[in-house]
Amino acid sequence: MPVPIPTSIFVTALLTLLASPLHSTDVCSTQPQETWLSMAQARAELQQQGYQIRTFQKTRTNCYKLHGFDQDGTKVDVYFSPVDLSKVKENRYG
């Protein structure tokens, strides 16, 4: 027989998941794409900064999103401006 999950744990987990992603109003850049760093340039620069990249992608909110590990080995999701790689949002897991 399955063990029921307490409602408070379920609600907390659900709220955490809903709060984590960027909201559709959080745009990383409104600059034209020709002013952006290429994905290859951005990826190389972030690796030089010590990030270990599992996935790297452009989001629908004009961000570059890195999923991987930071310089300390902590699992992270980081959203960067594609123009200058300034950090817009960071989620740390650990």
Side-chain angles (χ1 to χ4, degrees):
M1 184 166 186
V3 177
I5 298 173
T7 303
S8 62
I9 292 174
F10 177 78
V11 170
T12 301
L14 181 61
L15 289 175
T16 301
L17 287 173
L18 292 175
S20 295
L22 283 179
H23 298 287
S24 60
T25 58
D26 295 330
V27 175
C28 292
S29 178
T30 57
Q31 298 293 319
Q33 282 195 354
E34 43 286 348
T35 65
W36 295 11
L37 294 168
S38 72
M39 287 194 63
Q41 289 172 312
R43 185 181 183 111
E45 191 169 320
L46 292 169
Q47 286 174 324
Q48 286 179 341
Q49 291 178 21
Y51 286 99
Q52 296 175 29
I53 300 172
R54 290 258 174 112
T55 61
F56 190 69
Q57 62 193 38
K58 176 187 171 272
T59 68
R60 60 182 168 74
T61 56
N62 292 336
C63 301
Y64 284 158
K65 179 184 176 190
L66 175 152
H67 173 74
F69 299 89
D70 68 7
Q71 302 84 343
D72 299 323
T74 302
K75 189 175 180 181
V76 293
D77 288 328
V78 188
Y79 296 83
F80 296 95
S81 164
V83 176
D84 60 6
L85 293 183
S86 58
K87 230 183 256 188
V88 175
K89 182 172 182 171
E90 179 178 39
N91 297 316
R92 300 175 65 81
Y93 307 98

